[in-house]
Coordinates of all heavy atoms in Angstrom, one line a residue:
L207 N -11.3 -47.1 26.4 CA -11.8 -46.2 25.4 C -13.1 -46.8 24.6 O -13.7 -46.0 23.9 CB -10.7 -45.9 24.4 CG -9.5 -45.1 24.9 CD1 -8.6 -44.7 23.8 CD2 -10.0 -43.9 25.7
G208 N -13.3 -48.1 24.8 CA -14.5 -48.6 24.2 C -14.7 -48.4 22.8 O -13.8 -48.7 21.9
S209 N -15.8 -47.8 22.4 CA -16.2 -47.6 21.0 C -15.4 -46.5 20.3 O -15.5 -46.2 19.1 CB -17.7 -47.2 20.9 OG -18.0 -46.0 21.6
A210 N -14.5 -45.8 21.1 CA -13.6 -44.8 20.5 C -12.4 -45.4 19.8 O -11.7 -44.7 19.1 CB -13.2 -43.8 21.5
V211 N -12.1 -46.7 20.0 CA -10.9 -47.3 19.4 C -11.3 -48.5 18.6 O -12.3 -49.2 18.9 CB -9.9 -47.7 20.5 CG1 -10.5 -48.7 21.4 CG2 -8.6 -48.2 19.9
H212 N -10.6 -48.7 17.4 CA -11.0 -49.7 16.5 C -9.7 -50.4 16.0 O -8.6 -49.8 15.8 CB -11.7 -49.1 15.3 CG -13.0 -48.4 15.7 ND1 -14.2 -49.1 15.9 CD2 -13.2 -47.2 16.1 CE1 -15.1 -48.2 16.3 NE2 -14.6 -47.1 16.5
L213 N -9.8 -51.7 15.7 CA -8.7 -52.5 15.2 C -9.0 -52.9 13.7 O -10.0 -53.6 13.5 CB -8.5 -53.7 16.0 CG -7.5 -54.7 15.6 CD1 -6.1 -54.1 15.6 CD2 -7.6 -56.0 16.5
I214 N -8.2 -52.5 12.8 CA -8.3 -52.8 11.4 C -7.2 -53.8 11.0 O -6.0 -53.4 11.2 CB -8.4 -51.6 10.5 CG1 -9.6 -50.8 10.8 CG2 -8.3 -52.0 9.0 CD1 -9.8 -49.5 10.0
C215 N -7.5 -54.9 10.5 CA -6.5 -56.0 10.2 C -6.5 -56.3 8.7 O -7.6 -56.2 8.0 CB -6.8 -57.2 10.9 SG -6.7 -57.0 12.7
V216 N -5.4 -56.7 8.2 CA -5.2 -57.2 6.8 C -4.8 -58.6 6.9 O -3.8 -58.9 7.6 CB -4.3 -56.4 6.0 CG1 -4.1 -57.0 4.6 CG2 -4.7 -54.9 5.9
H217 N -5.5 -59.6 6.3 CA -5.1 -61.0 6.3 C -4.6 -61.4 5.0 O -5.2 -61.1 3.9 CB -6.4 -61.8 6.7 CG -7.1 -61.3 7.9 ND1 -6.8 -61.6 9.2 CD2 -8.1 -60.3 8.0 CE1 -7.6 -61.0 10.0 NE2 -8.4 -60.2 9.4
S218 N -3.6 -62.3 5.0 CA -3.0 -62.8 3.8 C -4.0 -63.9 3.3 O -4.9 -64.3 4.0 CB -1.7 -63.4 4.1 OG -1.8 -64.6 4.9
P219 N -3.8 -64.3 2.0 CA -4.7 -65.4 1.5 C -4.7 -66.7 2.3 O -5.7 -67.4 2.3 CB -4.0 -65.6 0.1 CG -3.4 -64.3 -0.3 CD -2.9 -63.8 1.0
D220 N -3.6 -67.0 3.0 CA -3.6 -68.2 3.9 C -3.9 -67.9 5.3 O -3.7 -68.7 6.2 CB -2.2 -68.9 3.8 CG -1.0 -67.9 4.1 OD1 -1.3 -66.7 4.3 OD2 0.1 -68.4 4.3
G221 N -4.5 -66.7 5.6 CA -5.0 -66.4 6.9 C -4.1 -65.8 7.9 O -4.4 -65.6 9.1
V222 N -2.9 -65.4 7.5 CA -1.9 -64.8 8.4 C -2.2 -63.3 8.5 O -2.5 -62.6 7.6 CB -0.5 -65.0 7.8 CG1 0.6 -64.3 8.7 CG2 -0.1 -66.5 7.8
L223 N -2.0 -62.8 9.8 CA -2.1 -61.4 10.0 C -0.9 -60.7 9.4 O 0.2 -60.7 9.9 CB -2.2 -61.1 11.5 CG -2.5 -59.7 11.9 CD1 -3.9 -59.3 11.4 CD2 -2.4 -59.5 13.4
A224 N -1.2 -60.0 8.3 CA -0.1 -59.4 7.5 C 0.1 -57.9 7.9 O 1.3 -57.4 7.9 CB -0.5 -59.4 6.0
A225 N -0.9 -57.2 8.4 CA -0.8 -55.8 8.8 C -2.0 -55.5 9.7 O -3.1 -56.1 9.5 CB -0.7 -54.9 7.7
A226 N -1.8 -54.6 10.6 CA -2.9 -54.2 11.5 C -2.7 -52.9 12.1 O -1.5 -52.5 12.3 CB -3.2 -55.3 12.6
G227 N -3.7 -52.2 12.4 CA -3.6 -50.9 13.1 C -4.7 -50.5 14.0 O -5.8 -51.0 13.8
L228 N -4.4 -49.8 15.0 CA -5.4 -49.2 15.9 C -5.7 -47.8 15.4 O -4.8 -47.0 15.2 CB -4.9 -49.2 17.3 CG -4.8 -50.5 18.1 CD1 -4.1 -50.3 19.4 CD2 -6.1 -51.2 18.2
Y229 N -7.0 -47.5 15.3 CA -7.5 -46.2 14.9 C -8.5 -45.7 15.9 O -9.2 -46.5 16.6 CB -8.2 -46.3 13.5 CG -7.3 -46.7 12.4 CD1 -6.9 -48.0 12.2 CD2 -6.7 -45.7 11.5 CE1 -6.0 -48.4 11.2 CE2 -5.9 -46.1 10.5 CZ -5.5 -47.4 10.3 OH -4.7 -47.8 9.3
T230 N -8.6 -44.4 16.1 CA -9.6 -43.8 17.0 C -10.5 -43.0 16.3 O -10.3 -42.5 15.2 CB -8.9 -43.0 18.1 OG1 -8.2 -41.9 17.5 CG2 -7.9 -43.9 18.9
S231 N -11.7 -42.7 16.9 CA -12.7 -41.9 16.3 C -13.5 -41.2 17.4 O -14.2 -41.9 18.2 CB -13.7 -42.7 15.4 OG -14.8 -42.0 15.0
V232 N -13.4 -39.9 17.4 CA -14.2 -39.1 18.4 C -14.5 -37.7 17.7 O -13.6 -37.1 17.1 CB -13.3 -38.8 19.7 CG1 -14.0 -37.7 20.6 CG2 -13.2 -40.1 20.5
G233 N -15.7 -37.3 17.8 CA -16.1 -36.0 17.4 C -15.9 -35.8 15.9 O -15.6 -34.6 15.5
G234 N -16.0 -36.8 15.1 CA -15.8 -36.6 13.6 C -14.4 -36.6 13.2 O -14.1 -36.5 12.0
I235 N -13.4 -36.9 14.1 CA -12.0 -36.9 13.8 C -11.5 -38.3 14.0 O -11.6 -38.8 15.1 CB -11.2 -35.9 14.6 CG1 -11.7 -34.5 14.4 CG2 -9.7 -36.0 14.3 CD1 -11.0 -33.5 15.3
A236 N -11.0 -39.0 13.0 CA -10.4 -40.3 13.1 C -8.9 -40.1 13.1 O -8.4 -39.3 12.4 CB -10.9 -41.2 12.0
Q237 N -8.2 -41.0 13.8 CA -6.8 -40.9 13.9 C -6.2 -42.3 13.7 O -6.7 -43.3 14.3 CB -6.3 -40.4 15.3 CG -6.9 -39.0 15.7 CD -6.0 -37.9 15.3 OE1 -4.9 -38.1 14.7 NE2 -6.3 -36.7 15.6
A238 N -5.1 -42.4 13.0 CA -4.3 -43.6 13.0 C -3.4 -43.5 14.2 O -2.6 -42.6 14.4 CB -3.4 -43.6 11.7
H239 N -3.5 -44.5 15.1 CA -2.8 -44.5 16.4 C -1.5 -45.3 16.4 O -0.4 -44.7 16.5 CB -3.8 -44.9 17.5 CG -3.3 -44.7 18.8 ND1 -2.9 -43.5 19.3 CD2 -3.0 -45.6 19.9 CE1 -2.5 -43.6 20.6 NE2 -2.6 -44.9 20.9
L240 N -1.6 -46.6 16.2 CA -0.5 -47.5 16.2 C -0.7 -48.5 15.1 O -1.8 -49.0 14.9 CB -0.2 -48.1 17.6 CG 0.0 -47.2 18.8 CD1 0.0 -48.0 20.0 CD2 1.2 -46.4 18.6
A241 N 0.4 -49.0 14.5 CA 0.2 -50.0 13.4 C 1.5 -50.8 13.3 O 2.6 -50.4 13.7 CB -0.1 -49.3 12.1
G242 N 1.4 -52.0 12.7 CA 2.5 -52.8 12.4 C 2.2 -53.7 11.2 O 1.1 -53.8 10.7
N243 N 3.3 -54.3 10.7 CA 3.1 -55.2 9.5 C 4.2 -56.3 9.6 O 5.2 -56.1 10.2 CB 3.3 -54.4 8.2 CG 4.6 -53.7 8.1 OD1 5.6 -54.3 7.7 ND2 4.7 -52.4 8.4
L244 N 3.9 -57.4 8.9 CA 4.7 -58.6 8.9 C 5.8 -58.4 7.8 O 5.5 -58.1 6.7 CB 3.9 -59.8 8.7 CG 4.5 -61.2 9.1 CD1 4.8 -61.2 10.6 CD2 3.6 -62.3 8.7
E245 N 7.1 -58.6 8.2 CA 8.2 -58.3 7.3 C 8.1 -59.1 6.0 O 8.4 -58.6 5.0 CB 9.5 -58.6 8.1 CG 10.7 -58.2 7.3 CD 12.0 -58.4 8.0 OE1 12.0 -59.1 9.1 OE2 13.0 -57.8 7.6
R246 N 7.7 -60.4 6.1 CA 7.7 -61.2 4.9 C 6.7 -60.8 3.8 O 6.8 -61.2 2.7 CB 7.5 -62.7 5.3 CG 6.1 -63.1 5.7 CD 6.2 -64.6 6.1 NE 4.9 -65.1 6.6 CZ 4.0 -65.7 5.8 NH1 4.2 -65.9 4.5 NH2 2.9 -66.2 6.4
F247 N 5.8 -59.9 4.2 CA 4.9 -59.4 3.2 C 5.3 -58.0 2.7 O 4.5 -57.3 2.0 CB 3.5 -59.3 3.7 CG 2.9 -60.7 3.9 CD1 2.6 -61.1 5.2 CD2 2.6 -61.6 2.9 CE1 2.0 -62.4 5.4 CE2 2.1 -62.8 3.1 CZ 1.8 -63.2 4.4
G248 N 6.5 -57.6 3.0 CA 6.9 -56.2 2.8 C 6.8 -55.8 1.3 O 6.5 -54.7 1.0
R249 N 7.1 -56.7 0.4 CA 7.1 -56.4 -1.0 C 5.7 -56.1 -1.6 O 5.6 -55.3 -2.6 CB 7.7 -57.6 -1.8 CG 9.2 -57.8 -1.5 CD 9.8 -58.8 -2.4 NE 9.8 -58.4 -3.8 CZ 10.4 -59.1 -4.8 NH1 10.8 -60.3 -4.6 NH2 10.4 -58.6 -6.0

């Protein structure tokens, strides 16, 4: 999918990947595709 798919990440203050999601963008429509988050940052 090349430039149609994007990875957006959230990093904790100590550099841990706390949450991340794949998003797509085609023809002016962006979509949240798949995402996950680290349980210890749930609060």
Side-chain angles (χ1 to χ4, degrees):
L207 295 188
S209 61
V211 63
H212 302 271
L213 175 64
I214 295 180
C215 298
V216 177
H217 310 271
S218 72
D220 56 352
V222 174
L223 187 63
L228 289 174
Y229 296 79
T230 63
S231 172
V232 169
I235 301 173
Q237 302 270 1
H239 189 57
L240 302 172
N243 59 83
L244 201 60
E245 185 175 17
R246 72 182 175 95
F247 293 114
R249 294 188 66 179

